[in-house]
Every structure is written in C-alpha cells, then in structure tokens.
C-alpha cells in the first residue's frame, strides 16, 4: 500500500470549535465534509486526544470557521499545536458567538451544528452534525490543505487524520 | 441560514467504484475524506439513489480514483450524470482491477477499502472503509471541486451532497 496516494486528496482548512462550560475551545481540522444537502448535515473527524472532541461530546454542538488564503496564518499554530485544556486559544482572537458557539471571524464563513450522530473509530470520533446556522464572512479564496502545505509551509499536527510520519 | 457558506468548503473530485456481481460500477463523488491515519480509514457519502451505493452495500468493498486536472473531463459526465444500473460506464474507459475493485487509470492515484461501518442519513449512506490497497498513478495536480466548477464549468449532479438548487 502506497500511502502517498492520500496526499492527493483535497481538503479545506477549518477551525472547529465548541464550548467547555461556556469557555470557547477549538482546534484545526481538515476533514469537514458536507454529507447531505437537505437537511444540510456535515461531518468532522477529530482525534480522541483533542480536548475539543470531549467538549463537543459533552455539549452536543460544534461550529467551524472556513479559513481563507487571507486568514491570519498564526491561527493555525495557535489552534493546531496547543490544547484548549491548558490554553485559552481565543485570547486576542477576533471571534463572536453564533447560536451559542464561538466562531473565528477571519475566514470565508461559518457553520454551526447540533450533533445528530457520533461514529467511533480506533483513534478518532466522527461527529455528524445537522446545520442549524451558517453564514458568509467574505468572498476570499478558501484555504485548501494543499495551499497551507505548499505556501504557508505548514506541517500536520500529529492528531490530524492526514498526518503521515516523516521518514 | 446562508447556505452559500457551504460553497467555500474544499473537496477533491473522485470516481468511486465497486462491482455488481463482478460488473464494474461507479459514480462521481466529492465527499471522500481520510478519517484516521493508522490504520488508514476513509469515508464517502453517497446518495441512496445511486446504484453504486447498493452495490457497495452488497459487496462490502469500494475503491476510488483521485482525479487530476489532467484527467479526461468527460469522465465526470460519464460517471456523474448516468446510472450504472442502465449503462456500462466503463466501456471504452482505461481501467484496471486492484484488489478486485475497478479503478479508472486517469488520475493521481487510487484507494481500495473494505467497508467497516455504514452510517445512514435521510438521503445518503456514509461508508467508512479500512484501506486495504492504495497507489500513485501520477504527480499531476489533484482536481479540486473548485477547479471543476470554475475551469471545467461543471454543475453538481443532483445526488451530490453539495448540490444547491439554483434560484
């Protein structure tokens, strides 16, 4: 099996968020996918080790911001390489609450969901959410995972589904 | 809810395939997503009305080819706007079988999976597959859904999760 095939799959880059007893939490994700059109449902796969995963399970809701090529690239380091358990990732970040969920305002738009199903795998939980709110922030070009790797020169946090150990 | 937010989500373009009593079947999809890294699992959401959905359920396996910007664009019309029930979509198409599954050879690479879980929604089945085979065909630039819409000027088949009725 040549796992390099996975590198040709295309994704966006998202900040997936929830709340921990009212405190905003979040992490970087790339597996956000629209599943059905009507009613609109989406899925996102998050590692069991992400604190945001526990918070979404407890709260039953999540949101995500769709990052653009113009989004502040430091958001990815802030939300992708630390844990919301130890750090207030939203400190100094321009965000607002939409339908009770925090959404980062630097991006193309946002989606808010209530969890309607959870699917367990060995390392990740797939949350399936019915969309209860969505909005457009800008018409900027969406950031793709490929753009992030090739232009921003990022590397995957080790909890990402698409993480491939080097060497 | 402004459903235009969904238009900023990024996807690739894939030909998802299976077999119907040995006969190759397939359809266009864009929801193919890597879920876990080790073991590698992926998901794909397919409309109940797609004949390929029934075939995957019966067969317990599926595959997909990752299309590139250089892939023959007529593949999308052939695999996206007809039904495998009525038409041999592979007639005249360069394909081969990998681990018993047909894969179209015009693209970046392929992935073959055995189904380990199925999740039902009102209109779509989400297949979760453990990857049993994968390979690279070329280093061509993967076709994104955005490229397909903006350059090839395609429109979503009405069974796609991302279909938005015009007007």
């Amino acid at each position: 099996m040549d796992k390099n095939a996975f590198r040709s799959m295309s994704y966006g880059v998202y900040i997936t968020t929830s709340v921990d007893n009212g405190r905003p939490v979040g992490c970087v994700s790339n597996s956000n996918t629209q599943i059905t059109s009507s009613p609109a449902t989406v899925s996102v796969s998050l590692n069991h080790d992400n604190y945001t995963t526990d918070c979404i399970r407890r709260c039953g809701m999540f949101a995500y911001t769709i990052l653009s090529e113009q989004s502040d690239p430091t958001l990815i380091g802030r939300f992708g390489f630390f844990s919301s358990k130890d750090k207030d990732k939203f400190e100094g970040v321009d965000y607002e609450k939409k339908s009770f969920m925090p959404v980062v305002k630097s991006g193309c738009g946002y989606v808010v969901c209530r969890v309607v199903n959870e699917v367990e795998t060995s390392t990740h939980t797939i949350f399936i959410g019915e969309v209860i709110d969505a909005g457009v922030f800008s018409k900027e070009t969406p950031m793709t995972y490929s753009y992030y790797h090739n232009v921003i020169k990022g590397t995957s946090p080790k909890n990402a589904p698409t993480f491939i150990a080097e060497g």
Side-chain angles (χ1 to χ4, degrees), chain A:
Chain A
M1 184 194 308
D2 184 352
K3 286 195 172 186
N4 287 311
F6 299 139
R7 294 184 190 270
S8 297
M9 293 179 69
S10 300
Y11 304 97
V13 184
Y14 308 90
I15 306 284
T16 295
T17 58
S18 190
V19 293
D20 177 22
N21 292 319
R23 184 174 70 94
V25 297
C27 61
V28 174
S29 60
N30 72 331
S31 59
N32 302 50
T33 307
Q34 189 174 356
I35 295 296
T36 66
S37 173
S38 180
T41 59
V42 298
S43 66
V44 60
S45 167
L46 296 178
N47 194 289
H48 293 159
D49 292 341
N50 282 350
Y51 191 65
T52 303
T53 307
D54 289 336
C55 297
I56 293 174
R57 192 176 287 123
R58 284 197 297 268
C59 159
M61 287 181 70
F62 66 93
Y64 56 90
T65 293
I66 304 158
L67 295 187
S68 80
E69 292 183 358
Q70 280 68 53
S71 291
D72 176 1
T74 69
L75 286 170
I76 295 173
R78 170 184 283 266
F79 280 89
F81 293 90
F82 297 93
S83 172
S84 285
K85 190 170 185 178
D86 313 314
K87 183 182 169 77
D88 177 6
K89 296 183 180 179
F90 289 78
E91 188 184 349
V93 172
D94 189 17
Y95 78 99
E96 62 182 309
K97 287 211 172 170
K98 296 283 192 185
S99 302
F100 309 105
M101 289 293 108
V103 295
V104 176
K105 291 175 72 176
S106 172
C108 300
Y110 70 91
V111 176
V112 183
C113 304
R114 71 178 181 88
V115 175
V116 293
N117 204 346
E118 295 178 27
V119 182
E120 284 304 319
T121 72
S122 54
T123 56
H124 288 65
T125 299
I126 307 167
F127 293 104
I128 298 171
E130 183 175 327
V131 178
I132 59 171
D133 191 4
V136 172
F137 286 143
S138 74
K139 294 198 169 183
E140 293 167 358
T141 302
M143 184 189 292
T144 62
Y145 199 63
S146 169
Y147 179 91
Y148 168 60
H149 269 284
N150 296 333
V151 180
I152 305 183
K153 308 284 185 198
T155 55
S156 295
K158 67 177 171 37
N159 288 346
T162 45
F163 174 74
I164 297 176
E166 300 294 336

